[in-house]
Amino acid sequence: MTARAADRARYDRATAHLDAPLAIVDLDAFDANAADLVRRAGGKPVRVASKSVRCRALLERVLARDGFQGIMSFTLAESLWLARSGFEDILLAYPSADRAGFAELAADPKPAGAVTVMVDDPAQLDLIDAARDGGREVVRVCLELDTSLQLLGGRVRVGARRSPLRSPAQLAELARSVARRPGFRLVGIMAYEGHVAGVGDALAGRPLRSRAIRLMQAAARRELAERRAAVVRAVRAVVPDLEFVNGGGTGSVQHTAAEDAVTEIAAGSGLYVPRLFDNYTSFRGRPAALFALPVVRRPGVGVVTVLGGGYPASGAAGRDRLPVPYLPEGLAYDPQEGPGEVQTPLLGSPADDLLVGDKVWFRHAKAGELCERFDTLHLIEGDAVTAAVPTYRGEGRTFL
């Protein structure tokens, strides 16, 4: 029996009393992945990206481990909710225009002391000030650095279009604006190198493109390490007591941690290890989060139909954004239909061994987005479900 077949047998036994559709997290794999992130971080704390987890119970579990410290959140409403739930040291990784949220933040010392908001433009500071509604709490602020690799004088750009702040001078100028402005305190710098951390460099059947990606990423790491160090020096000249410099992501943990200027690493997807992380040479994780769909039809030889399945991930549309049939091995989508909202036909010889009511296990493309489809995660240890915990959706929280 292969390791994957053994996992399927375990998952089927553990969930035999549960009807699909359902989602699971294999805690043995989850914990092993957490340990690997800490190992790769080389002694620097790992800040957990809540977007990639979206389950308070699992955020608590990973933050209880040595080597993890703080949360990287994705909306202001989520940040306030987490702060009121007892979480501390929450870095909001994206700018917000949530005026009601900023009024709440500025009016209450508890969330104001726990949450750091992201800015990359003085206009965002203006919006926060206008939203205070009399609140006088100091708002903790982080600046975001553009990490993109720019070639040929900027005519070629590789990387996400995030912050407009690129040079040490630009970040230092905004740092001075924050420092001069009452009601704000600059505490950190963040830089997410998505073109390194979030792009696989070992694409199956595409050796030339894989090599090109590795060359691009090596050049991007060199350029960013030099520029990030200069940015940190420039900002610390304005704010010497800067608390943190955050960088990285699951795919670049060990590379980013090697930079002296970086004080902490961000990661989250590496806990669940969705399918987009199958194509990396820098690390190997264990798939920990999966979902199961029930067989509801057997249309013919070599075909079964499961209920649901159309759960595409965000990003540029493509086959790599689709979930993949994982267990039993050997099933594939019908190319004329793909995964459907209500039903999904699957082709392959394993279909002939599946009965109505059996489970087919899938892996989603992007980590936490799975939790927008399910309100419960069934936690598996060995071959038993040991707990069922709510996702954000299960707690009635749909932040985006």
Side-chain angles (χ1 to χ4, degrees):
M1 181 181 291
T2 66
R4 279 174 60 173
D7 283 342
R8 180 195 175 199
R10 283 198 302 116
Y11 300 152
D12 282 347
R13 285 195 300 271
T15 63
H17 62 297
L18 299 172
D19 288 333
L22 59 85
I24 66 166
V25 171
D26 184 334
L27 289 180
D28 292 337
F30 181 90
D31 290 344
N33 293 333
D36 185 62
L37 288 172
V38 171
R39 177 190 62 80
R40 290 198 288 135
K44 292 185 178 179
V46 178
R47 185 181 291 274
V48 184
S50 63
K51 179 174 74 74
S52 301
V53 179
R54 302 191 204 195
C55 171
R56 284 198 298 167
L58 290 175
L59 288 172
E60 290 169 352
R61 183 184 184 92
V62 73
L63 285 170
R65 299 178 63 97
D66 290 341
F68 287 87
Q69 180 179 306
I71 289 176
M72 176 177 283
S73 58
F74 60 98
T75 73
L76 182 54
E78 178 211 15
S79 306
L80 295 168
W81 177 62
L82 291 174
R84 297 200 183 283
S85 300
F87 292 94
E88 300 176 347
D89 190 8
I90 302 161
L91 170 62
L92 175 56
Y94 306 87
S96 176
D98 180 354
R99 292 175 173 82
F102 283 126
E104 181 180 343
L105 182 70
D108 191 329
K110 181 176 180 179
V115 176
T116 301
V117 303
M118 191 66 60
V119 301
D120 56 35
D121 189 317
Q124 294 154 352
L125 300 173
D126 294 339
L127 186 148
I128 295 170
D129 265 340
R132 284 179 183 270
D133 194 26
R136 296 187 177 183
E137 294 297 325
V138 172
V139 175
R140 292 166 54 87
V141 168
C142 177
L143 306 183
E144 182 169 1
L145 166 67
D146 170 36
T147 66
S148 65
L149 176 64
Q150 296 189 10
L151 305 170
L152 301 177
R155 292 191 294 276
V156 175
R157 175 194 179 98
V158 182
R161 295 182 181 277
R162 293 175 61 112
S163 171
L165 304 176
R166 182 169 181 83
S167 69
Q170 288 175 313
L171 278 99
E173 177 57 32
L174 187 52
R176 283 188 286 269
S177 294
V178 175
R180 289 193 298 261
R181 196 159 184 156
F184 294 92
R185 181 183 170 206
L186 179 59
V187 297
I189 299 172
M190 189 195 91
Y192 172 58
E193 50 264 47
H195 50 301
V196 179
V199 177
D201 62 350
L203 307 180
R206 307 185 71 180
L208 294 179
R209 179 167 177 78
S210 297
R211 176 163 175 74
I213 290 172
R214 287 194 290 273
L215 291 172
M216 175 277 291
Q217 291 178 338
R221 288 196 301 268
R222 289 192 298 270
E223 186 276 337
L224 179 58
E226 181 177 337
R227 184 159 51 88
R228 179 156 39 199
V231 163
V232 172
R233 287 193 298 271
V235 174
R236 285 195 186 277
V238 179
V239 184
D241 59 346
L242 205 64
E243 294 178 14
F244 64 85
V245 177
N246 180 281
T250 288
S252 69
V253 170
Q254 64 271 39
H255 301 298
T256 307
E259 296 182 34
D260 291 338
V262 174
T263 66
E264 63 176 38
I265 307 300
S269 296
L271 296 168
Y272 288 168
V273 185
R275 63 164 295 203
L276 282 179
F277 287 90
D278 287 348
N279 303 316
Y280 283 74
T281 58
S282 61
F283 79 105
R284 286 287 183 272
R286 291 173 55 184
L290 300 94
F291 66 94
L293 301 178
V295 174
V296 292
R297 285 178 169 164
R298 291 169 51 88
V301 176
V303 186
V304 292
T305 301
V306 296
L307 184 70
Y311 305 157
S314 61
R319 292 181 61 83
D320 65 341
R321 302 291 150 167
L322 301 179
V324 290
Y326 184 60
L327 302 169
E329 298 180 64
L331 293 173
Y333 293 125
D334 182 332
Q336 296 185 59
E337 295 193 45
E341 179 188 10
V342 177
Q343 68 171 30
T344 298
L346 298 170
L347 312 180
S349 59
D352 295 328
D353 296 323
L354 292 169
L355 304 176
V356 170
D358 285 350
K359 296 180 176 77
V360 175
W361 296 90
F362 291 75
R363 292 177 64 203
H364 197 56
K366 293 185 74 174
E369 293 183 19
L370 173 65
C371 295
E372 299 299 334
R373 302 289 182 171
F374 294 90
D375 58 14
T376 300
L377 295 175
H378 298 278
L379 308 184
I380 291 180
E381 296 182 76
D383 60 358
V385 171
T386 57
V389 296
T391 61
Y392 281 11
R393 169 177 161 163
E395 297 198 67
R397 306 286 176 165
T398 49
F399 294 111
L400 282 177

